[in-house]
Amino acid sequence: VSAPDLAAIAARWTANADRYASWGDIAHGHPRYRAAWIAALADLVGHPRRDGTPPARIADVGTGTGEVALLLADMGHHVQAFDIATGMLEHARAKPAPPGGSVAFAVGNAYELPLPPASVDVVINRMVFWTLHDPPGALHEWQRILAPGGRIVVIDGLHFAAGRSPAQRIRRARTRMFWALEARIAGRRHRGSTATAGSRNDHTDNGPPPGTTWTGAEDAHRQFSDAGLRPTSFTWLDAVQRAQRATAPLRWRLAGLLPRFFAITWEAP
Ligand SMILES: C[S@@+](CC[C@H](N)C(=O)[O-])C[C@H]1O[C@@H](n2cnc3c(N)ncnc32)[C@H](O)[C@@H]1O
């Protein structure tokens, strides 16, 4: 794997940060969707405030606008959250920290985190794995910072319709139409400026992220075996998807933008 151009990737995500923040906030602003994520996270890492599990030291890698980090802190965990895109982190830091919660945001790269070996109980990330150009390399780095008995939790989804089935083709066409419309609307909003909608997640010189070609969850799963790791569990987060379907804006649903989320975990010896 050639070294990803991290500066270009960071710039790309920073350029999209405002739009990303407005999206994330819309969805998470809904109590039902938020509750579904809390329940899913509780299953994966425990909920100290509710079920008395001991608080875990958690690294949220690729935290973006900090949604998962803030939920975990609110649940009673000790969270350190990292991202390479400063524009994303600005949004995360601007959000109110949960009362009594422990969360710190810092610049950090998934392949080389600013943490000592064996210093966290959980490495978690959501919707980050698909963007990584060297997932096994990242998994090895996460292994390095995990304490014995610690756990990697990768939450992701099939964000792009890459398959050849008729259903996938239709979804792809709907999504393309959606982006074309968004670009026109954004173009109108930014008339006279050079801003564009930045509608595609191609990471400049790196080419599109590998996750854009995933056709099934096994493509994510395979990254673990490529790293020499055998996952401990695989779970479809169906309750999250039901809540998402029920609460997301109609135009996202029409555009086929609602991925089916899954979680893959691996436990350190
Ligand atoms: C789709 S967003 C997900 C954000 C957040 N985890 C969430 O669930 O809303 C992907 C994030 O991964 C970050 N990212 C991509 N490559 C990274 C890397 N090598 N190191 C750290 N963060 C990275 C991006 O900057 C972006 O904020």
Side-chain angles (χ1 to χ4, degrees):
V1 181
S2 60
D5 179 356
L6 293 175
I9 291 170
R12 185 83 191 168
W13 283 103
T14 285
N16 279 304
D18 289 349
R19 193 183 53 175
Y20 193 91
S22 67
W23 280 23
D25 291 346
I26 291 165
H28 276 201
H30 199 289
R32 174 164 174 202
Y33 191 49
R34 186 186 153 89
W37 272 111
I38 291 174
L41 293 169
D43 283 346
L44 292 161
V45 297
H47 192 317
R49 292 225 167 102
R50 219 176 259 171
D51 62 22
T53 43
R57 296 164 297 174
I58 300 185
D60 179 30
V61 178
T63 190
T65 58
E67 289 290 327
V68 168
L70 291 165
L71 287 182
L72 291 168
D74 200 22
M75 291 159 68
H77 292 293
H78 302 298
V79 187
Q80 301 188 74
F82 302 96
D83 205 285
I84 41 164
T86 49
M88 297 291 266
L89 286 173
E90 272 168 31
H91 284 282
R93 290 188 175 120
K95 291 178 184 174
S102 153
V103 58
F105 293 102
V107 174
N109 163 22
Y111 303 103
E112 210 174 349
L113 289 160
L115 288 176
S119 58
V120 300
D121 307 304
V122 175
V123 178
I124 196 167
N125 50 79
R126 186 187 69 171
M127 297 191 280
V128 175
F129 209 55
W130 72 269
T131 76
L132 297 178
H133 291 264
D134 179 12
L139 285 168
H140 287 147
E141 170 63 357
W142 304 344
Q143 242 184 316
R144 180 188 70 80
I145 62 168
L146 266 193
R151 178 180 304 183
I152 292 174
V153 181
V154 167
I155 300 173
D156 217 323
L158 300 174
H159 307 283
F160 300 88
R164 291 172 178 280
S165 71
Q168 293 286 71
R169 284 173 203 259
I170 290 169
R171 184 177 156 203
R172 205 147 55 224
R174 277 156 52 198
T175 307
R176 248 190 240 123
M177 261 165 55
F178 171 82
W179 284 121
L181 264 171
E182 286 274 302
R184 287 194 74 155
I185 293 165
R188 220 172 285 150
R189 228 182 267 141
H190 297 296
R191 211 163 2 148
S193 86
T194 53
T196 64
S199 61
R200 295 193 319 128
N201 269 302
D202 50 352
H203 286 159
T204 56
D205 295 344
N206 302 280
T212 54
T213 61
W214 288 352
T215 56
E218 56 286 357
D219 291 324
H221 206 266
R222 190 174 317 115
Q223 308 302 327
F224 281 74
S225 15
D226 287 355
L229 306 180
R230 182 201 282 238
T232 326
S233 72
F234 175 89
T235 321
W236 287 109
L237 306 181
D238 286 329
V240 167
Q241 205 198 16
R242 279 195 299 276
Q244 183 180 229
R245 284 227 174 104
T247 62
L250 178 66
R251 61 198 187 103
W252 295 10
R253 270 177 278 163
L254 294 177
L257 287 181
L258 308 183
R260 188 178 176 203
F261 285 101
F262 54 80
I264 307 174
T265 67
W266 176 82
E267 258 152 56

